[in-house]
Amino acid sequence: MTRILFVHIKARLLRAAAVAVATLTMAAAASAAPLELTASTTSYHRVKVDGVGIFYREAGPRNAPTIVLLHGFPSSSREFDTLIPLLAPRYHVIAPDFPGFGQSDAPAASAYAYTFDHLAGVMNDLLTSLAINRYSLYIHDYGAPVGFRMMVAHPERLQALITQNGNAYQEGLGTKWSKIAQYWADPEGHPEVVDAFLSFEATEQRHTAGSTHPERYNPDTWTDEFTHLSKPGQREIQSALLYDYRTNVAAYPQWQAWLREHKPPTLVAWGANDPSFIAPGATAFKKDLPDAEIHLLDAGHFALDEQTDEIARLILNFMAGHPG
């Protein structure tokens, strides 16, 4: 009788192991499968928000869950050109340009408040005008302080959070921030910080520094960004935002408390070689979000340019597990 029971248990264990192996094999096959792609629904728009022309890209079915993509410095929604067609078959995608960036209007800094509070307010008003009251956020670089302000203002709107080198922790600040802190303390006394921040070298290095795949970067990206930064009025705009960035670092404890309270489903897809927002900024999310899904990728600050398919797969798998 004991032998029969042992054989029966052994058979059940073998069947369970076979199922587990089959599941892992299917998961591996799915992760390696070609991604579905469509660019046929992408469209380009301009609307007035608080008196300023705001440009945005839109793709995917409007009755699908919405993902809002918030870009970094000194880029625009253009940084998501490769990602949008990979998300659009399943999601409604909105990717706006902040005021002063990309194709959005850039009022003179003397007549417009270039603060992260203001940028977040404009993005909230844009989504309200588009009747989008539930969405997931993809935040990168400057998109992080904009996105966190949006979440704090309207927690009921957030379905899920995706951060790609979008920092919210002191641990994530690379060594360059010590020099920028000198500018915050005395902006008039440190014009060289702004000079370096807006230089061609820095514009290129934001893309290629730390990269093990520099051949994956299109040099048109940083030459176009530098052309934008060289336009009249841009130095004043970007100086104002760089100075206001100190308010983001000061807000980190508030944002961390918000994460602990609301516990949004969170995916961290981080370019681990980023010298600006370093890898400890990714793993720090675990302190406040123990269930966060964290992936350190072999990529730099603009990880999406190096790991487009991998990040798209991570997003699609993550979102499938958190349908809202």
Side-chain angles (χ1 to χ4, degrees):
M1 182 67 179
T2 303
R3 179 177 175 79
I4 292 173
L5 181 60
F6 173 76
V7 171
H8 179 66
I9 293 172
K10 183 178 179 182
R12 290 179 61 185
L13 290 173
L14 287 172
R15 284 198 299 271
V19 170
V21 170
T23 302
L24 290 172
T25 301
M26 290 171 61
S31 67
L35 290 162
E36 189 178 357
L37 176 95
T38 179
S40 63
T41 65
T42 302
S43 55
Y44 307 87
H45 308 269
R46 284 181 62 85
V47 295
K48 284 284 186 180
V49 180
D50 304 336
V52 172
I54 299 298
F55 173 87
Y56 66 94
R57 289 163 161 81
E58 183 174 21
R62 295 194 178 191
N63 61 349
T66 298
I67 302 177
V68 179
L69 310 176
L70 299 179
H71 67 81
F73 170 88
S75 191
S76 67
S77 59
R78 179 182 172 184
E79 80 171 72
F80 301 113
D81 269 351
T82 57
L83 179 64
I84 290 172
L86 299 173
L87 300 181
R90 304 183 198 179
Y91 295 97
H92 177 223
V93 182
I94 296 287
D97 290 352
F98 302 143
F101 292 81
Q103 297 294 327
S104 287
D105 288 352
S110 59
Y112 192 83
Y114 283 97
T115 66
F116 288 91
D117 277 347
H118 199 183
L119 297 189
V122 170
M123 293 298 102
N124 274 327
D125 290 347
L126 169 66
L127 296 177
T128 298
S129 72
L130 299 176
I132 298 172
N133 54 25
R134 183 72 170 164
Y135 48 78
S136 297
L137 282 180
Y138 180 120
I139 56 175
H140 172 232
D141 189 76
Y142 273 17
V146 173
F148 270 102
R149 285 170 168 81
M150 294 168 66
M151 289 184 270
V152 169
H154 295 286
E156 76 284 356
R157 295 184 179 181
L158 186 70
Q159 176 183 342
L161 174 63
I162 303 159
T163 176
Q164 185 257 293
N165 299 74
N167 193 53
Y169 293 89
Q170 284 279 352
E171 298 95 312
L173 297 175
T175 56
K176 80 168 190 178
W177 291 96
S178 60
K179 187 66 176 176
I180 293 174
Q182 296 177 21
Y183 172 73
W184 295 338
D186 181 14
E188 297 297 327
H190 290 283
E192 77 282 358
V193 173
V194 178
D195 293 340
F197 192 68
L198 302 180
S199 69
F200 181 83
E201 180 183 11
T203 307
E204 177 185 352
Q205 288 294 302
R206 283 186 191 93
H207 293 272
T208 59
S211 171
T212 57
H213 303 287
E215 75 282 357
R216 295 183 184 174
Y217 284 95
N218 181 349
D220 288 345
T221 306
W222 56 81
T223 57
D224 288 353
E225 288 172 357
F226 183 70
T227 297
H228 180 79
L229 292 174
S230 302
K231 291 179 180 178
Q234 273 293 316
R235 182 182 177 87
E236 293 73 22
I237 290 171
Q238 301 305 335
S239 296
L241 283 171
L242 180 62
Y243 181 65
D244 193 62
Y245 203 94
R246 74 197 192 284
T247 67
N248 302 329
V249 177
Y252 284 173
Q254 177 192 7
W255 299 346
Q256 293 158 17
W258 188 93
L259 292 173
R260 289 194 298 273
E261 178 184 356
H262 294 276
K263 292 182 170 55
T266 299
L267 169 66
V268 180
W270 205 276
N273 308 327
D274 183 358
S276 182
F277 296 124
I278 56 180
T283 54
F285 278 90
K286 276 288 187 183
K287 295 190 300 184
D288 299 308
L289 297 170
D291 295 330
E293 182 181 326
I294 297 179
H295 299 267
L296 295 176
L297 307 175
D298 180 16
H301 182 70
F302 281 88
L304 192 58
D305 286 354
E306 296 181 69
Q307 300 280 357
T308 308
D309 288 359
E310 177 62 19
I311 291 176
R313 285 193 179 95
L314 290 172
I315 293 172
L316 292 171
N317 292 336
F318 169 75
M319 291 296 295
H322 301 282

